Amino acid sequence: MSTFVVYADTSDGDIGSADGYDDEYDGWAGDYAVTRSGTGVVLEAGASSTIVAVGQLRVVSFYQVFWVYEGFLAFDTSALTSGATVSAAVLRVTSYADYSTTDFDIQARLRDWGTSLTTADWVAGADLSGLTLLGSYATSSGFTANTGYDLSDTAMGANVNKTGSTRMLLCSSRTVGNNAPTNNEFVHIYSANYTGTTRDPKLTVTYAAGSTEVYDGPGPTLDAWIIATRTGSFTAAAILKRTQVGSFTADAAIKSTVAGSFTTNAVLLRGQTGSFAANAITLKAASSSFTAAATIKATVADSTKADAIRLRTFWFGRVEDGF
């Protein structure tokens, strides 16, 4: 197994929803349900700050204001490629500060919010539970400033995008549960805009690399590449390596302990036996019969009709154009 580590994109950020600022609408009395839905007085997105807010709060003085914050992260995981098999993925965030008087779970949920963050990416609290839960961390376990914390891998590994960006949303479990705050219950984490990467959100992916072998079954018909103890029938651009048996009609290359029949553009290397009709090349310890444009090298015996070249320890018979 291998490990792939990737840091968040600088497009990360948060969206804050608030209600209770304008007495023209609500007499300074904010409404949590309105705030949670994102339809209140304020809905703003920030993608350039060095911190990302997650959670919710209630401010009370001569007016009442509710805030709900959702964080948004993206990781370029395309280097894994489609052939990789991901077995696990762990998100680590680093605490900037914990302002909570009420603890909550930081939840990471699957959300493809695109390449730039706008208020259109806000997810209403009632819809959060419908997003796949990727992982979580309970702030009751501690959230000390400048310390990294891993979210559990609930379904993070299963949802890594191996050919693009893995995007997600961070929210409070209490927002998901429709639990109105009475005081502060939010945290700040460092974003990718903070200097360096030591405190950036980080995704660590455990995976097995995809096989370098391409084998389309026993009977591919085009551009076949068969490696290591294969048997098959091919009609174009075939390459076989190591202990192959097959029948080929065009552009065949056979390496190491191969027997086959070829009709054009054949190349045989090392310990080969075959019959070729055109453009054949046989190298090292091979015996063959060629009819056109043959090249034979190193310990080869053959019969050739045209354009033959033989190097080193050869016996041959020319039908025409002898040399």
Side-chain angles (χ1 to χ4, degrees):
M1 302 298 285
S2 302
T3 299
F4 173 65
V5 177
V6 59
Y7 296 96
D9 296 344
T10 54
S11 59
D12 63 2
D14 58 40
I15 300 177
S17 171
D19 187 62
Y21 270 116
D22 196 335
D23 63 346
E24 179 182 346
Y25 295 96
D26 50 29
W28 300 97
D31 189 314
Y32 175 68
V34 172
T35 305
R36 183 171 178 259
S37 69
T39 57
V41 176
V42 177
L43 186 65
E44 58 187 19
S48 59
S49 175
T50 58
I51 58 174
V52 172
V54 181
Q56 53 186 18
L57 69 148
R58 173 176 175 255
V59 178
V60 179
S61 55
F62 64 93
Y63 55 84
Q64 172 178 273
V65 178
F66 289 100
W67 276 95
V68 174
Y69 295 103
E70 296 174 352
F72 295 81
L73 303 178
F75 301 87
D76 182 1
T77 46
S78 61
L80 290 167
T81 72
S82 60
T85 301
V86 175
S87 57
V90 175
L91 171 65
R92 167 164 286 203
V93 297
T94 299
S95 170
Y96 176 85
D98 182 359
Y99 302 98
S100 302
T101 56
T102 300
D103 291 320
F104 62 96
D105 291 354
I106 300 172
Q107 295 184 348
R109 292 183 174 270
L110 189 64
R111 169 67 166 162
D112 187 354
W113 47 272
T115 57
S116 61
L117 186 63
T118 70
T119 55
D121 298 312
W122 171 266
V123 177
D127 297 328
L128 289 170
S129 62
L131 303 179
T132 300
L133 179 63
L134 303 176
S136 62
Y137 176 78
T139 60
S140 59
S141 298
F143 207 68
T144 305
N146 301 318
T147 304
Y149 295 93
D150 292 340
L151 277 67
S152 61
D153 180 5
T154 303
M156 188 73 75
N159 287 280
V160 169
N161 186 344
K162 296 179 288 186
T163 59
S165 289
T166 300
R167 299 186 178 95
M168 64 195 70
L169 171 155
L170 302 182
C171 62
S172 165
S173 59
R174 288 178 55 79
T175 304
V176 176
N178 196 23
N179 304 121
T182 56
N183 280 295
N184 291 344
E185 45 184 78
F186 72 99
V187 298
H188 284 161
I189 64 172
Y190 285 96
S191 80
N193 291 288
Y194 189 79
T195 302
T197 59
T198 56
R199 297 177 183 177
D200 289 2
K202 178 176 69 173
L203 191 64
T204 301
V205 182
T206 303
Y207 72 101
S211 173
T212 58
E213 296 186 5
V214 179
Y215 178 52
D216 293 331
T221 58
L222 182 67
D223 298 318
W225 183 295
I226 311 300
I227 301 176
T229 319
R230 305 300 191 204
T231 302
S233 176
F234 305 84
T235 59
I239 301 176
L240 267 73
K241 298 182 179 180
R242 283 183 58 197
T243 320
Q244 313 306 322
V245 177
S247 176
F248 305 82
T249 59
D251 300 312
I254 312 301
K255 299 181 180 181
S256 185
T257 319
V258 179
S261 177
F262 306 83
T263 59
T264 182
N265 298 322
V267 180
L268 266 75
L269 308 179
R270 190 173 161 201
Q272 315 306 322
T273 302
S275 176
F276 304 84
N279 299 319
I281 301 175
T282 302
L283 308 181
K284 194 173 179 183
S287 61
S288 302
S289 176
F290 304 85
T291 59
T295 302
I296 312 300
K297 298 183 180 181
T299 319
V300 179
D302 64 281
S303 176
T304 304
K305 291 184 179 179
D307 301 324
I309 300 174
R310 291 153 192 74
L311 306 177
R312 190 175 158 200
T313 320
F314 295 119
W315 176 92
F316 65 92
R318 286 282 298 177
V319 176
E320 60 186 274
D321 300 327
F323 64 95

